[in-house]
Amino acid sequence: MFRTAFENLRQKAPLIHNITNHVTVNDCANMVLACGASPIMADDLGEVEEITTLCAGLNINIGTLNSRTIDSMLLAGRTANRLGHPVVLDPVGAGASRLRTGTALRLLEEVHFAVIRGNISEIRTLASGAGTTKGVDADVADRVTEENLDAAVRFAKEFASRTGAVIAITGAIDIVADGDTAYCIRNGNAMMSSITGTGCQLSALTAAFVTANPGHTLEAAAAAVCAMGLAGEVAHRRLTPLDGNATYRNYIIDAIYNMTPQQLEEGANYEVR
Amino acid sequence: MFRTAFENLRQKAPLIHNITNHVTVNDCANMVLACGASPIMADDLGEVEEITTLCAGLNINIGTLNSRTIDSMLLAGRTANRLGHPVVLDPVGAGASRLRTGTALRLLEEVHFAVIRGNISEIRTLASGAGTTKGVDADVADRVTEENLDAAVRFAKEFASRTGAVIAITGAIDIVADGDTAYCIRNGNAMMSSITGTGCQLSALTAAFVTANPGHTLEAAAAAVCAMGLAGEVAHRRLTPLDGNATYRNYIIDAIYNMTPQQLEEGANYEVR
Amino acid sequence: MFRTAFENLRQKAPLIHNITNHVTVNDCANMVLACGASPIMADDLGEVEEITTLCAGLNINIGTLNSRTIDSMLLAGRTANRLGHPVVLDPVGAGASRLRTGTALRLLEEVHFAVIRGNISEIRTLASGAGTTKGVDADVADRVTEENLDAAVRFAKEFASRTGAVIAITGAIDIVADGDTAYCIRNGNAMMSSITGTGCQLSALTAAFVTANPGHTLEAAAAAVCAMGLAGEVAHRRLTPLDGNATYRNYIIDAIYNMTPQQLEEGANYEVR
C-alpha cells in the first residue's frame, strides 16, 4: 500500500508550493526533490495566489513567522481550498508565542487542511486553543510513550474528527490518524531530534505524498511519516564515529533520494489502532 | 583561455554583492567562497547602495522575491551600472507569476546586465515579455536538445543583441551567447537538477568570473558555466550508491573549491557556433 | 575549567533565542543542537519578547539586517537584560554600511551585552564608532598577528572595560578578554575562512556556553572559541583531497556534536595575557 503511494509520487512528480520558514527552507526544497516532486518556495502576497494555482499541493509552515507572510499563508490556503489542492499545516512553535498560536488557530479557522503535522505540544496547543511549549521541541512531559499511546491515539482521532484533517503527531512514536483509524509508527532514530528541521522536511514530504495520492490522504500521510523515519534509520547506519548531526542531515535526504517504493513497503514499521 | 579567466578570479578574489533568495543563499555564499571570491549578502534598501559600491560585482536573483527587496534590486543595479560594475540577473521563476515576470522585465528596463542566466523557459519569458513556466524548472516542451539547438542559439544571440547582455541558457545543453558568438556547452550531469539551487549557485559563480575578467564577459560567463558543469561531473564520480542529492550538493561546491584553472581548461566541453 | 563549562552546557541544554541572518541561520541552529543546547529562531516584533522570555539566552546577529528586524533586536535585547539573560552580539559587517554600523552602535547603547564577538575590523568599527571594513571579512591590514598581539589585547581589554562585555575578536589568533584578563587562543585552521558563517556559528555557540555558565562569562566565551577552533582542527584532519569547503562545514558541526568536555580541555590551545 505504501509502495503504491510512493510509486504514485515518483511517477506524478507533483509541483508543491511551500510557504515555510527561512531556517530549514533549503532542506525542505531538497527533501521535496529527493522524493521525486518539485518544490517552489514563494511567500509574497503579490504572487502566492498564482503560485498555488500553478502547483498541485501546498505546504504551510509557521516557523520564523512574520507579519509579511501571514496574509500570504491565508490567501494561499484559501486558494488551494477553492482549487481542491491538499494543504498541509506545520504549526512550528505553536504555543511558544501568541503570534504563532494565534496564527495557527486563525489558519485552522479559515483554511481546511488535509494534514496537520506537529509534535504533541504543538498539536495540543491547537486542540486546546492555547498552551505553552518548550520552544519548538516537544514538551518532555507531553511525550508520547507506550504507556500513554492509547490516550494519545484517542486525542488524535478526536482532533481529526473535529478538524476534518489527518493529524500527524511525530515523536519517538508517531501517530497518524483520521477520525477512525490511527497508524502508530515506530520508525526513526532518536538522533533525528539533534537536526534542525526534520519535522519541517517531513511536512514538505507529506505534502508531496498526499498531493500524489488524492482520496488516500491518511495512507499517504502515514507513508510519508514511515518514509522519513526509515530514512533516519538508513542514514544512521551509514554514520561513522566522526559523523554528527550535519552529516546525518545530509544522509537522511540522501536516503529519501535513494529509497524505493519496495524498500518503504518492507521497512515501514507500524500498527493500526 | 578559460584557464586564464579562472586564474584571474583566484588571484583577484573580487567581493561580490548578492541580492538573492533565502532558499539557496547559503549555498551561493559557499560557492562564491569556493571559487576564490568573497560574498556579501545584503538586501535592505538602507544599505544596498553602499554595499554595491564596496563590491566589484553584483548578482541579482529574484527567487523568493518580495516587495521589500524589489526596490533594493533596482537601486543596487543602477548603482552598479553607474560605477561600471558588472551585474548578473537570475530571473528565477520568471513566467510563474506576474510579480516575478514584471519584476524581471522592470529590472531589464532599468538596469543593464552583463549576463542574464536562466533556464530556457525563464529566458523565453523575458524575451517575449510574458509567458508561463512550470514553476522554477524548465518547461519540458521548451528543453534545448540537439535537434533544436540551432534555433535556440539564434534565439539566444538575438536576445543578447537586443539587451546587450550575454545570455546564458542552462539545461542539458548550455548556451552562452552574445550577439555574434555562442558557446554550446555539454558539461554537467542530469542529477544536478535534483538539487535545489544549482542554477542560483551558477549565477553567483558567473558574477565572480565576470567581475574578475573585465572586457571578457562572454568568455568569463562561458568559463563559469563550464566550471559548474565540470564540478557536477567530478562530484558525480565521487558518489557512492547510498549518496543522494544532499551529498551531491556538497560535493559540487567541494569540486569548485578544488578545481584548478588547468583542470577547467582541460575539462571544458564546448563548441562555438 | 573548559571541561566544566562544556559539561554544564551538555547537562543544562539551555534554550537559546537567535535573531540572526538568513544566510547561515540553518548552520547556527544545527551548531546549537550539536553542542547540546536547543535553538529557537524568531525575529518578528510580535513575538520576540515572549520568545526571549521563554529562553535562557539570546544571540543577536546583524548579518542581512533589515528594517523589520532592527526593532525586534532592540526589544529582545532589552527584554533579556531585564530578565538577566546573557546576550551575545555578532556585529556582522559593521563598518560596511551605515545601516549596520548605526544599528550595532544603537544596540550597544540600548542593550548590555555579555559578549561581543566579531573580527578585528568589526570590533574596531564598534570601538571607534565608525570605520570601514572589506565586506564581512577582516581587513587584511587589521589582522591580529604575533607582532601586534599585545596591542590588540590592550585594545580588547579597554573596549571590554568600556562596554562591560567580554570582547571576542576572532581570526588567525583569537582574543577573548574582559577588562583584566585576555585569553589568546591558537586553535583553528585557516580553511575555516573559506566557509560562510563560521563566525555566526561561533556566536551562537558562545551564547550557549555563556548561558549554561552564569557568573563565568569570560571562561565560557573562551571555551566556546577554543571549541570552535578545535572543531576546525578535528574536521580538517578528516578531509580527503576531494573535499572542500562544503564538506568542511558539515564536519565542523559534526566535530562539535562529537566533542567531549575532556577533548575540549585537552585540545584547547591558549595562553592568558
Side-chain angles (χ1 to χ4, degrees), chain A residues 82-102:
Chain A
R82 199 178 63 235
L83 296 167
H85 297 177
V87 190
V88 171
L89 174 65
D90 188 333
V92 180
S97 74
R98 282 165 300 172
L99 180 72
R100 296 203 193 198
T101 305

Side-chain angles (χ1 to χ4, degrees), chain A residues 20-22 25-26 43 68, chain B residues 20-25 63-64, chain C residues 22:
Chain A
T20 186
N21 68 76
H22 60 254
V25 59
N26 183 270
D43 63 17
R68 190 178 65 73
Chain B
T20 187
N21 67 75
H22 60 252
V23 184
T24 65
V25 60
T64 64
Chain C
H22 61 253

Side-chain angles (χ1 to χ4, degrees), chain A residues 135-150:
Chain A
V136 292
D137 296 317
D139 191 327
V140 178
D142 269 356
R143 210 155 269 181
V144 174
T145 61
E146 298 294 349
E147 286 65 41
N148 65 17
L149 181 56
D150 277 331

Side-chain angles (χ1 to χ4, degrees), chain C residues 79-90:
Chain C
T79 303
N81 280 174
R82 198 178 64 235
L83 297 167
H85 298 177
V87 191
V88 172
L89 174 65
D90 188 332

